[in-house]
Amino acid sequence: GHPRGYPEKIKYEDMLPISWAHNIPPVHYKVPLYRQTWDLMDDWFTTSQWTPYWRNAHLVGSFSDDVKLGVYQKPDGETLLLAANVSTERRQGDVRIFPEALGFQDGQYSVVPTGPGADGVAVFTDNRIAVDIPRLRCRFFLIRKGEPSP
């Protein structure tokens, strides 16, 4: 078997969180999930500053070693948080964000799920985002200045 318990044959779409966790765009365009992710990431990939999971503990905090967090920040302050579950099992927990380090005043920003798997409203309290990520998948959250999320 593969390290980390990956199946012998890994599907293309199962490589998505591993690719994006390392800021490597997936290139197999025939997989619908890849196209959906590219639709979201295309602009961020070229116009933002990426801070990888191994260097962003001052910006965000993960609840699991299996959930890698990538932070993309645009010059205008808009931020995209990528939560990549590299485990073969579902992961649920709270991602912590540090608003001041991200350039936001506490309580003066919103968090909105976006991209594949977004379900409309982020459960967000006390600078924590509740996430539920299926095995080998990603979740994305837009963080921007303005009124706090409901």
Side-chain angles (χ1 to χ4, degrees):
H2 287 280
R4 300 185 58 82
Y6 295 135
E8 285 296 322
K9 286 193 156 201
I10 297 176
K11 298 176 190 175
Y12 283 115
E13 59 266 22
D14 291 343
M15 294 302 297
L16 191 68
I18 298 163
S19 295
W20 281 120
H22 295 92
N23 203 37
I24 301 169
V27 294
H28 200 283
Y29 298 104
K30 293 183 180 183
V31 176
L33 186 58
Y34 280 22
R35 285 194 307 270
Q36 294 168 2
T37 305
W38 258 115
D39 288 347
L40 169 68
M41 293 300 295
D42 189 38
D43 180 54
W44 288 93
F45 192 68
T46 59
T47 63
S48 65
Q49 175 68 42
W50 174 61
T51 307
Y53 66 89
W54 61 88
R55 283 196 206 142
N56 66 21
H58 64 292
L59 301 173
V60 293
S62 185
F63 59 91
S64 168
D65 288 340
D66 291 328
V67 176
K68 309 300 183 191
L69 304 176
V71 177
Y72 295 82
Q73 293 179 288
K74 290 187 177 182
D76 66 2
E78 190 173 42
T79 299
L80 181 70
L81 172 64
L82 158 71
N85 179 8
V86 299
S87 171
T88 57
E89 297 180 13
R90 173 180 236 90
R91 293 289 183 246
Q92 296 173 301
D94 290 345
V95 169
R96 185 159 182 203
I97 64 172
F98 303 105
E100 291 83 10
L102 290 167
F104 301 106
Q105 292 182 351
D106 196 12
Q108 297 300 310
Y109 58 95
S110 62
V111 177
V112 179
T114 190
D119 57 8
V121 177
V123 178
F124 177 71
T125 56
D126 297 325
N127 298 327
R128 294 178 186 272
I129 306 168
V131 296
D132 180 359
I133 312 172
R135 63 181 290 283
L136 299 171
R137 291 294 180 265
C138 299
R139 291 295 179 256
F140 302 88
F141 299 90
L142 280 175
I143 306 170
R144 48 173 67 129
K145 293 177 184 172
E147 292 300 313
S149 298

